[in-house]
């Protein structure tokens, strides 16, 4: 019996995308989305769970783009959060595509006329990348203008705040600590 149990344990391995799975599962819980929002916007103390609507792109049947987390706060603020353990500046282009698809969904849902002359009332977007790898950054944001195209005159500049420091007092820091502990355990013990 003990031998069978040991064989079963030997077959159990950590998923390659364990950190991403934990991130998505963690912020699927409404109270945790609120904690994340409070970590990003501590000045907005009156926001409640009911003020936050998930707008994460998660196609079930079609092979379309998906993102880690999108949330709409009071129909005013659109927040995208992506978790990355391996660095790629291409995250900026993916975020741009997520934004376009999310705005398309928002415009359709609210029956807004993009061809009319009246300015659309759409939520202001914010972009965050939670980085759990070992790389350190010279600044706390990345930008298509500066980091992707290296052109100060580029017509589009999508900027995303990069969060990589461990603040043990909030849910973001706790997720980063979890990721570092998981990486250390995998390095020491294997998957």
């Amino acid at each position: 019996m003990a031998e069978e149990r040991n064989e079963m344990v030997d077959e159990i391995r950590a998923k390659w995308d364990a950190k991403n799975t934990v991130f998505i599962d963690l912020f699927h819980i409404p109270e945790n989305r609120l904690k994340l929002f409070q970590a990003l916007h501590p000045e907005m103390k009156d926001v409640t769970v009911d003020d936050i609507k998930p707008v994460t792109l998660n196609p079930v049947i079609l092979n379309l783009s998906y993102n880690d987390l999108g949330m709409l706060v009071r129909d005013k603020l659109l927040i995208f959060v992506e978790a990355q353990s391996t660095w790629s500046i291409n995250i900026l282009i993916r975020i741009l595509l997520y934004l376009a698809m999310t705005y398309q969904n928002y415009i359709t849902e609210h029956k807004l006329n993009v061809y009319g002359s009246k300015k659309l009332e759409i939520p202001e977007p914010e972009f965050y990348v939670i980085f759990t790898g070992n790389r350190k950054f010279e600044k706390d944001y990345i930008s298509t203008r500066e980091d992707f195209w290296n052109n100060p005159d580029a017509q589009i500049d999508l900027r995303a705040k990069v969060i990589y420091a461990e603040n043990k007092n909030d849910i973001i820091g706790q997720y980063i600590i979890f990721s570092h502990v998981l990486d250390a355990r995998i390095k020491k013990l294997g998957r």
Side-chain angles (χ1 to χ4, degrees):
M1 182 79 162
E3 238 175 74
E4 286 177 23
R5 192 174 310 138
N6 286 340
E7 286 176 17
M8 286 176 51
V9 169
D10 287 343
E11 292 178 18
I12 297 173
R13 304 212 185 291
K15 293 173 66 171
W16 287 103
D17 64 345
K19 290 181 278 188
N20 188 41
T21 303
V22 167
F23 182 88
I24 290 169
D25 191 58
L26 180 67
F27 294 113
H28 179 76
I29 300 168
E31 292 78 14
N32 289 341
R33 280 194 300 269
L34 176 61
K35 289 178 184 177
L36 175 65
F37 178 79
Q38 290 168 335
L40 298 173
H41 284 282
E43 76 283 1
M44 295 179 70
K45 297 183 186 321
D46 62 334
V47 171
T48 67
V49 168
D50 295 332
D51 292 326
I52 301 172
K53 174 186 173 191
V55 292
T56 304
L57 300 169
N58 187 15
V60 176
I61 297 174
L62 300 177
N63 190 17
L64 299 172
S65 292
Y66 61 91
N67 60 336
D68 289 343
L69 178 64
M71 52 187 183
L72 181 63
V73 181
R74 295 184 176 160
D75 228 23
K76 300 276 185 215
L77 193 56
L78 188 58
I79 297 178
F80 294 91
V81 183
E82 294 296 311
Q84 298 286 287
S85 58
T86 304
W87 186 250
S88 172
I89 197 66
N90 295 331
I91 188 65
L92 288 169
I93 301 305
R94 293 197 314 265
I95 290 172
L96 181 63
L97 295 172
Y98 304 151
L99 175 65
M101 286 184 266
T102 303
Y103 272 152
Q104 179 65 51
N105 293 343
Y106 184 89
I107 288 165
T108 300
E109 180 182 331
H110 290 85
K111 298 178 175 53
L112 300 177
N113 180 4
V114 295
Y115 299 102
S117 59
K118 181 180 175 192
K119 181 181 89 167
L120 298 180
E121 296 292 327
I122 58 173
E124 176 184 351
E126 290 183 358
F127 312 102
Y128 300 90
V129 177
I130 298 174
F131 182 64
T132 62
N134 295 322
R135 177 180 174 177
K136 297 298 180 201
F137 297 86
E138 294 175 13
K139 53 191 188 225
D140 66 349
Y141 68 91
I142 52 176
S143 155
T144 53
R145 183 175 286 161
E146 296 173 27
D147 301 306
F148 199 84
W149 293 303
N150 194 22
N151 177 0
D153 298 323
Q155 296 294 307
I156 294 175
D157 188 24
L158 186 141
R159 290 170 56 117
K161 180 177 172 97
V162 178
I163 302 169
Y164 58 89
E166 297 173 2
N167 175 357
K168 296 177 184 168
N169 296 324
D170 67 33
I171 198 165
I172 298 170
Q174 293 165 2
Y175 172 76
I176 292 171
I177 291 168
F178 157 78
S179 296
H180 290 171
V181 168
L182 180 63
D183 286 342
R185 299 309 295 170
I186 289 173
K187 185 175 182 179
K188 181 176 180 179
L189 303 172
R191 289 221 166 256

